[in-house]
Amino acid sequence: MNYLDVRGTRIRFHETGDPAAPAVVLLHGIGRSLEDWWPQHELLGDYRVISLDMPGFGLSQRMPAPTTLPVLAEGVWAALDTLGESRPVHLMGNSLGGAVSMQMLTTAPDRVSTLTLVNSAGFGKEVTVALRMLAVPVLGRQMLRRIDRWTAPRVERTLFADRAMVTRERIEMAIRIARQPDFAPVYLEVARALGGFRGVAAAWRTDLLQRVSAHPRPTMLIWGDCDLILPCAHLAAAQAAFPHARSHMFARTGHMPQIERPEEFAELVRPVLAEVAV
Amino acid sequence: MRLPEYRFAGRTAVLTGAASGIGEQLAYGLAFRGSDLVLIDVDGDRLEAVAGRIRTAHPALPVRTIVADLADRSAVEGLADRILAEHPAIGLLINNAGVALGGRFDQVSIEQFETVMNVNFRAPMLMTHMLIPALTASPGSHLVNVSSLFGLIAPPGQSAYSASKFALRGLSESLRSELLDNGVGVTTVHPGGIRTRIAESALVGSRVPEEEIEPNRQLFAALLSYPPDKAAEQILRAVAKRKARLLIAASAKAPDLLARLMPVGHARIVRALTVARGAGTAVVRQ
């Protein structure tokens, strides 16, 4: 696995495909890693496909500043600078990664050619009670400290509609990520910055969606109808925020359609990517 | 016995009257929720336009259109056969198509009366009867019958329409209990004045005087004020929740309450209202 030095922070990334082709940048959710996008590297192989562990997540180090949406967005842009990718990119974000993608669009609209939001955060206050409990002092830290052989499979099971997706590799990766020194602090910083026990806060969502509306891009909105983390009813709010967007609701699919329905996912996003001439 | 919430994504929805009004909005709402679509209407051009909009917005969704005249018994049977052959298991059947007819009973011909009964009652009855094997093929399917405010009350000038919508309501409410044994939910919908094309496409009794037609049509259209997209959203929410009965808009809820409080006496109030407005004739409603 490859690492970048981004302003002194060690960032893990994975890059495949044709370096000359337009870049597709894949962003994972809270507490996750680039493994959540793994099959798309091959399926979108005719692009320059870049996935990375966002600062403080996966096996990447954290940024010095407290982790917020703007800090994550800035971190990803800086990582792309380090990779020498200065052309407009196709952004795809899952869950928290969707919110980061939208944030990236607002901070550098010229660098974004299309937007694909997959079970994205930002479209409603409802979120799994497990994430809401993180906001409770002490309890949150205790929960994150206890990601082990017993709890990790349970967490993984909430992410997929099909239990066969909960493989030993995924469980081991989740435990490995949870043992990173920056894992718990960054997780809690983000969870508390974006919401509380009552759910995802409204202020940043409405503000972000309003700023995003100034930069329309070809957009694809995707959800899995069995998402237990962010309910699929949020797709309606997403469509309202992106009236020009195309959308697709995957059946019998959980929080990560990009790995639970990889082939269909790739087929779905290809026309959106093709919409922007190189 | 309670049925679990209806899940739209990945299941096939069959929808009649999909080219305009509530049906068009239902089609958009179903596509948005990820249902594979079989859209049926008699107006092929409008139906293709609706399907085209859905294909653009949801490129990965299978959308099938079938043009059929539901007044024609053999056309309905052929339609159901085709659907059965192509979709051995369907999740949702929405009998939405309907036609209105204006005029007092003595002003409408028997043929016109029968057309209304055929489209509004016989077609849903046939479709449901023929598609029950497909509905029961997978557990948790759902049936929607769009009756009307005039399936709750029967004002003057609405003999055929009310007869057809009362009949559909009776069928639907009886099926509610029968199909529960098969794990199929049934929702009967009674929309009030929804802003649809039903006034424009309404039949007019063949013996309604010429000078009464246009004023009545305009009066009718003016009563249709509730937005169809909101009506469709309510219907889809009722399906998800497996509601037995859905009244849409105050123009359905108030008369329903009146009819229940005054099972006989409400007719006088309805008559006073409609006669004062429409001289007793020709106002037709969804």
Side-chain angles (χ1 to χ4, degrees):
Chain A
M1 197 52 65
N2 300 308
Y3 290 90
L4 293 168
D5 183 337
V6 180
R7 298 176 192 166
T9 297
R10 201 183 63 154
I11 297 290
R12 185 174 73 128
F13 76 105
H14 184 50
E15 185 193 343
T16 55
D18 177 3
V24 178
V25 177
L26 309 170
L27 302 176
H28 60 79
I30 189 166
R32 307 289 304 173
S33 68
L34 57 81
E35 273 71 13
D36 286 353
W37 284 97
W38 199 256
Q40 297 305 326
H41 274 277
E42 193 181 330
L43 291 165
L44 300 173
D46 44 331
Y47 288 88
R48 181 186 194 191
V49 186
I50 301 166
S51 61
L52 46 81
D53 289 351
M54 292 195 287
F57 293 119
L59 305 179
S60 288
Q61 289 177 329
R62 63 167 303 155
M63 292 293 197
T67 310
T68 59
L69 219 43
V71 166
L72 289 172
E74 189 50 41
V76 177
W77 280 134
L80 291 175
D81 289 339
T82 312
L83 276 170
E85 186 53 76
S86 54
R87 304 166 297 169
V89 299
H90 301 287
L91 282 181
M92 296 189 189
N94 177 213
S95 196
L96 173 67
V100 175
S101 305
M102 290 191 271
Q103 179 73 38
M104 288 171 73
L105 173 63
T106 63
T107 50
D110 297 342
R111 296 185 70 175
V112 180
S113 50
T114 72
L115 197 58
T116 298
L117 303 175
V118 189
N119 300 46
S120 173
F123 299 114
K125 82 174 169 74
E126 299 81 9
V127 64
T128 176
V129 70
L131 278 176
R132 287 166 30 206
M133 288 196 313
L134 289 180
V136 180
V138 187
L139 183 61
R141 194 168 298 277
Q142 290 296 331
M143 283 170 64
L144 292 175
R145 201 178 282 168
R146 280 217 46 193
I147 295 181
D148 54 27
R149 301 235 154 257
W150 294 103
T151 55
R154 286 166 205 209
V155 174
E156 293 292 309
R157 263 179 236 148
T158 63
L159 300 175
F160 303 100
D162 179 3
R163 284 209 171 183
M165 297 296 295
V166 184
T167 58
R168 190 195 295 189
E169 292 77 43
R170 290 214 163 89
I171 294 165
E172 278 168 5
M173 189 64 198
I175 294 168
R176 190 172 166 208
I177 290 171
R179 287 187 183 146
Q180 300 296 308
D182 295 333
F183 174 76
V186 170
Y187 207 126
L188 292 173
E189 280 165 24
V190 174
R192 286 171 185 163
L194 301 186
F197 186 66
R198 297 159 107 181
V200 185
W204 70 267
R205 288 190 280 118
T206 43
D207 175 58
L208 180 61
L209 294 183
Q210 201 210 329
R211 283 184 290 125
V212 162
S213 65
H215 312 287
R217 293 289 181 278
T219 300
M220 175 58 93
L221 306 170
I222 295 170
W223 228 283
D225 76 327
C226 297
D227 189 346
L228 299 175
I229 311 299
L230 292 165
C232 68
H234 286 192
L235 181 56
Q239 187 81 68
F242 294 90
H244 60 286
R246 288 175 257 182
S247 77
H248 187 74
M249 181 81 82
F250 277 109
R252 294 172 297 282
T253 305
H255 190 52
M256 299 195 281
Q258 76 276 16
I259 41 176
E260 203 165 7
R261 309 267 168 228
E263 289 85 11
E264 290 157 276
F265 181 93
E267 286 311 304
L268 197 55
V269 297
R270 277 190 171 281
V272 182
L273 306 185
E275 234 177 85
V276 179
V278 186
Chain B
M1 176 175 156
R2 277 182 73 94
L3 295 172
E5 188 163 309
Y6 181 79
R7 303 197 77 94
F8 291 92
R11 302 169 97 169
T12 301
V14 177
L15 169 64
T16 67
S20 64
I22 298 175
E24 176 183 359
Q25 299 300 327
L26 282 170
Y28 299 147
L30 288 166
F32 184 73
R33 287 164 172 78
S35 288
D36 299 359
L37 295 177
V38 179
L39 305 179
I40 300 146
D41 205 284
V42 69
D43 186 337
D45 292 343
R46 278 181 188 274
L47 187 62
E48 272 317 309
V50 170
R53 280 192 277 277
I54 292 171
R55 289 187 184 112
T56 307
H58 312 282
L61 195 78
V63 183
R64 174 93 164 84
T65 57
I66 305 177
V67 177
D69 181 2
L70 300 184
D72 177 352
R73 177 176 179 151
S74 58
V76 178
E77 288 167 345
L79 171 71
D81 279 334
R82 247 164 97 183
I83 295 169
L84 275 177
E86 290 173 22
H87 305 276
I90 63 176
L92 181 63
L93 168 62
I94 304 185
N95 289 308
N96 164 73
V99 63
L101 168 62
R104 294 168 59 97
F105 186 52
D106 58 5
Q107 290 173 333
V108 303
S109 70
I110 294 299
E111 288 72 31
Q112 288 179 313
F113 199 106
E114 284 180 333
T115 299
V116 173
M117 289 301 291
N118 292 346
V119 174
N120 293 2
F121 176 66
R122 190 180 68 188
M125 181 272 290
L126 284 171
M127 288 285 283
T128 308
H129 198 270
M130 293 184 72
L131 291 180
I132 275 181
L135 278 170
T136 52
S138 59
S141 300
H142 202 89
L143 168 68
V144 177
N145 290 305
V146 181
S147 176
S148 167
L149 159 62
F150 294 162
L152 302 167
I153 59 165
Q158 292 295 332
S159 54
Y161 192 74
S162 288
S164 69
K165 292 299 190 181
F166 269 75
L168 183 58
R169 171 189 172 190
L171 171 71
S172 194
E173 290 183 5
S174 179
L175 285 178
R176 167 95 187 160
S177 302
E178 287 188 15
L179 290 178
L180 195 60
D181 300 334
N182 304 69
V184 177
V186 179
T187 301
T188 312
V189 183
H190 298 276
I194 316 292
R195 203 186 310 126
T196 70
R197 295 188 64 253
I198 197 154
E200 291 147 66
S201 55
L203 304 172
V204 178
S206 50
R207 287 187 288 280
V208 173
E210 192 70 31
E211 66 275 13
E212 284 182 18
I213 296 174
E214 206 36 48
N216 277 317
R217 204 190 285 279
Q218 283 172 12
L219 177 66
F220 180 21
L223 291 170
L224 307 179
S225 57
Y226 196 84
D229 55 333
K230 274 176 134 182
E233 272 307 305
Q234 287 191 41
I235 294 171
L236 295 179
R237 227 173 298 151
V239 171
K241 298 274 177 242
R242 310 280 191 173
K243 274 182 74 171
R245 178 195 232 211
L246 172 68
L247 306 180
I248 305 176
S251 51
K253 287 173 188 161
D256 173 61
L257 187 64
L258 203 62
R260 282 193 277 169
L261 291 173
M262 309 166 70
V264 178
H266 78 273
R268 231 175 340 150
I269 299 170
V270 171
R271 182 183 150 79
L273 288 170
T274 47
V275 171
R277 271 184 181 158
T281 57
V283 177
V284 279
R285 297 286 291 271
Q286 173 128 4

